[in-house]
Amino acid sequence: MRKRILTGDRPTGPLHLGHYVGSLQNRVRLQDEYDTYVLIADVQALTDNFERPEMLEANVIEVTLDYLAVGLDPEKVKIVVQSMVPELTELTIYFMNLVTVATLERNPTLKEEIKQRNFTKGIPVGFWSYPISQAADITIFKADLVPVGEDQLPMIEQTREIVRRFNRLYKKILIEPRAMLGRVARLPGTDGGTKMSKSLGNCINLGDSPEQIRKRVMSMFTDPLRIHATDPGRVEGNPVFTYHNVFNPDKAEVEDLEERYRKGTVGDVEVKEKLYKALSAFLEPIRERRNQFAAKPEQVREIIIEGTRKGRALAQQTMDEVRSAMKIKYALG
Ligand code: TRP
């Protein structure tokens, strides 16, 4: 049987370059080789957006368009909407017995996100326990491989722990998944921050127009110690060069720019102009494909419905095994 991939995204807004290098690229590359399920995690998105659920529906479509735009083939990949697979909720509840409060409290990604969100009325239990529901996401589809960005590694580790406990305690039916990091595990933001992230407003989105790309690139953070174009500059840790290295296929041009930047014989503007060119060339076909699908909303809807139907059937099958393993499949039905 073909090995399986499950990964997903919260539909809180459009996907960006960080998503691309962290995970989307791997999904596209592996879609022929793996039986691939991609989860639009709207239930998880609710955990910190429960006060404005009305933003979810449009974003489910936006994220789907991003998937199709980067080249996920709906003939091969199942796009699944999380809230339409209620079995996930059930599995989450069973998994809750297998996780301690202390383990959740140690999860570094969760800690970081809680700090960022600055919950004023305390941490909602739903948010705090989302690593458990994410473990259900991964295991209900019996995924072998989870292509994700670096920040998701603690979630995969948590999943592996739950699987080991479940299999030991009940019956060996769940699969211990492996994470797969992207070519660039963590893309810095345009502000030079450690991570490109919607909530930090330092993104270049996959569907951005040339004007938007240009504006973001030209205002990018470079080397704060370099004041004049004739000052020697730093290439390491400079996000403009990080992006050049990731997205500019003309390696000779990048090397030349790096060399001149270090010597102080090239200005920021030229380096950025060339980055803009490289990024536009990269994003143009993605934007075009996005527009083509956006013009056919009925087809997009069909893709989601069909993917979700297949995903749910698989989830139901796993839950049947889970209930048997847990001896809660009574002869009463
Ligand atoms: N937590 C992921 C994110 O914030 C989204 C997600 C939900 C996910 N369920 C998943 C990722 C299962 C991988 C596997 O982007």
Side-chain angles (χ1 to χ4, degrees), residues 6-10 39 41 44 130 134 137-138 146 148 152:
L6 177 287
T7 185
D9 301 277
R10 296 178 196 168
L39 190 71
Q44 188 176 111
Y130 92 73
Q134 188 157 333
D137 297 343
I138 297 168
V146 191
V148 279
Q152 296 297 304

Side-chain angles (χ1 to χ4, degrees), residues 268-283:
D268 276 1
V269 174
E270 183 183 339
V271 182
K272 288 179 173 177
E273 282 290 353
K274 293 196 161 129
L275 176 61
Y276 165 70
K277 247 181 73 195
L279 280 177
S280 302
F282 172 72
L283 288 171

